[in-house]
Amino acid sequence: MNGYAWLGLAIVAEVIATTALKASDSFSKLGPSLITAIGYAFAFWCLSHSMKTVPVGVGYAIWSGVGIVLITAIAWVLFKQKLDLPAMIGMGMILAGVVVINVFSKSAGH
């Protein structure tokens, strides 16, 4: 599997783990707490595989940027957290940064 596929799996696992972390109610609920621990462990395992071919700075920028946007969208839908205009503009800028890295940067190593 290529590095960006591993990175994609890492992001999905981290988003699931972070969503479960909110649902764990400070680790007081067993099911979500287990999902959190397993999800983060799997996310970092996948991230470590991605780092074999993806430059660390690029990988971390994609990991954090996509993760922030996905978690914010999930929080908006599942937890009814409100997003104001500056938050939405900021999310758009984060996504734009990820696109610029992937489309235009020679550092991305595609």
Side-chain angles (χ1 to χ4, degrees), residues 14-84:
E14 187 266 337
V15 167
I16 290 169
T18 301
T19 304
L21 181 62
K22 169 71 173 162
S24 78
D25 196 25
S26 298
F27 290 106
S28 66
K29 296 179 180 172
L30 181 61
S33 298
L34 290 173
I35 292 169
T36 298
I38 293 165
Y40 282 133
F42 184 69
F44 282 105
W45 183 75
C46 291
L47 184 63
S48 74
H49 283 284
S50 77
M51 296 295 164
K52 291 177 182 175
T53 57
V54 177
V56 68
V58 171
Y60 193 75
I62 295 168
W63 156 286
S64 59
V66 174
I68 288 167
V69 171
L70 288 175
I71 283 297
T72 302
I74 289 169
W76 178 59
V77 171
L78 292 182
F79 304 118
K80 308 297 183 220
Q81 294 178 358
K82 303 293 182 215
L83 293 175
D84 58 10

